C-alpha cells in the first residue's frame, strides 16, 4: 500500500518505525513525553477491528473462526498470518486501508490544532511502501538475535514464534535503507530515551 498523504505545509511528518522488540515503543513514549503528538498506528489497527466494527466483520469473512463471541481472537489470527505470507497479505488488505484513513483523520486534527511536528508510529512503514510520505523516517534498530531474546523473555513467545514475527517484517537492511535517522535500540531504555532527546534538540525547538 502506498496511498498518498495530503500535503500540510509547515508540518514535519515524522515516520517512526523499527523491527519488533527493537525499542520503537520506548522512542514513541519519549517523543510524547517531550510534547510531540504521536499517532499510534497499532492502536488504530486495534480500533479498526473492534467489536461491532465493519473491519472486524471483514476479517471474519476472510478468516472464519477467528472471531469468538464478537471479539477477535488475536492469538488464533496471529498463528495464521505469521506463518503464511498469503494470509498476512489478505489481512493487510483489509486492515491497512482502514488504518490509513484513521491516521490521516488524526493528522488533520493535529494540524488544525496548530501542531508543527507529528510522529506517526508505524510498525510496517517500510512494508506498506509509505516511507516516501514521511520526512524524516526514524528507524529504531537492534540486532535480530537481541530482539528474539526480548520477545522470548518479555512476551513469552517461543523462539520459533519470535523468528516468525521477525520474518513477517521487512529485513533490517531494507528498513535501514529507508531511514533518514537511525536510533540504536540495543542498549538500555535510558540510552534510547537520551537519543530521542538529542534528535528532538536537533530540530531546534520547532516541534510544537
Amino acid at each position: 500500500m502506498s496511498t498518498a498523504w495530503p500535503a500540510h505545509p509547515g508540518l514535519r511528518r515524522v515516520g517512526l518505525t523499527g523491527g519488533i522488540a527493537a525499542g520503537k515503543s520506548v522512542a514513541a513514549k519519549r517523543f510524547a513525553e517531550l510534547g510531540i503528538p504521536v499517532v499510534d498506528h497499532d492502536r488504530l489497527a486495534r480500533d479498526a477491528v473492534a467489536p461491532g466494527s465493519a473491519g472486524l466483520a471483514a476479517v471474519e469473512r476472510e478468516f472464519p473462526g477467528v472471531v469468538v463471541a464478537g471479539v477477535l481472537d488475536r492469538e488464533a489470527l496471529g498463528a495464521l498470518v505469521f506463518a503464511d505470507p498469503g494470509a498476512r497479505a489478505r489481512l493487510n488488505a483489509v486492515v491497512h486501508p482502514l488504518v490509513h484513513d484513521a491516521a490521516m483523520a488524526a493528522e488533520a486534527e493535529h494540524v488544525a490544532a496548530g501542531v508543527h511536528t507529528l510522529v506517526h508510529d508505524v510498525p510496517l512503514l517500510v512494508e506498506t511502501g509509505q516511507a516516501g510520505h514521511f520526512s524524516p523516517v526514524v528507524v529504531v534498530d537492534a540486532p535480530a538475535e537481541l530482539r528474539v531474546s526480548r520477545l522470548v523473555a518479555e512476551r513469552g513467545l517461543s523462539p520459533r514464534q519470535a523468528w516468525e514475527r521477525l520474518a513477517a517484517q521487512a529485513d533490517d537492511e531494507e528498513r535501514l535503507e529507508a531511514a533518514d535517522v537511525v536510533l540504536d535500540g540495543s542498549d538500555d531504555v535510558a540510552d534510547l530515551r537520551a537519543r530521542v532527546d538529542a534528535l528532538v534538540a536537533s530540530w531546534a525547538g520547532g516541534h510544537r
Side-chain angles (χ1 to χ4, degrees):
M1 183 188 75
S2 58
T3 306
W5 286 76
H8 292 298
L11 175 69
R12 179 187 287 114
R13 180 189 290 133
V14 182
L16 174 65
T17 195
I20 187 170
K24 177 177 62 62
S25 296
V26 171
K29 182 178 179 181
R30 186 56 180 162
F31 279 119
E33 290 171 349
L34 294 173
I36 301 174
V38 177
V39 178
D40 182 347
H41 287 227
D42 252 352
R43 183 183 62 77
L44 297 180
R46 292 192 295 272
D47 292 346
V49 293
S53 67
L56 182 64
V59 169
E60 187 173 22
R61 286 193 298 271
E62 196 68 44
F63 302 97
V66 301
V67 176
V68 179
V71 178
L72 181 63
D73 183 339
R74 295 184 180 278
E75 186 174 346
L77 182 61
L80 288 172
V81 302
F82 285 116
D84 182 347
R88 191 162 60 249
R90 284 157 46 212
L91 176 64
N92 290 343
V94 171
V95 176
H96 285 171
L98 301 174
V99 173
H100 180 73
D101 289 348
M104 287 198 298
E107 178 175 287
E109 289 181 6
H110 285 297
V111 170
V115 167
H116 297 296
T117 293
L118 181 64
V119 172
H120 284 268
D121 178 353
V122 192
L124 300 180
L125 187 151
V126 174
E127 293 85 340
T128 52
Q130 297 184 80
H133 302 300
F134 297 90
S135 182
V137 172
V138 178
V139 172
V140 182
D141 185 52
E145 292 78 7
L146 174 60
R147 289 154 50 206
V148 166
S149 69
R150 287 173 176 172
L151 288 170
V152 171
E154 299 170 10
R155 306 193 194 182
L157 300 181
S158 69
R160 179 184 62 80
Q161 289 172 321
W163 282 110
E164 282 179 353
R165 279 156 175 73
L166 263 68
Q169 297 185 325
D171 62 40
D172 294 345
E173 291 75 15
E174 186 180 0
R175 196 179 294 109
L176 292 172
E177 260 185 37
D180 298 304
V181 177
V182 178
L183 300 177
D184 185 358
S186 60
D187 299 320
D188 62 25
V189 168
D191 288 328
L192 180 52
R193 286 166 58 89
R195 292 180 179 114
V196 173
D197 291 355
L199 176 60
V200 171
S202 76
W203 292 339
H207 60 274
R208 295 183 186 277

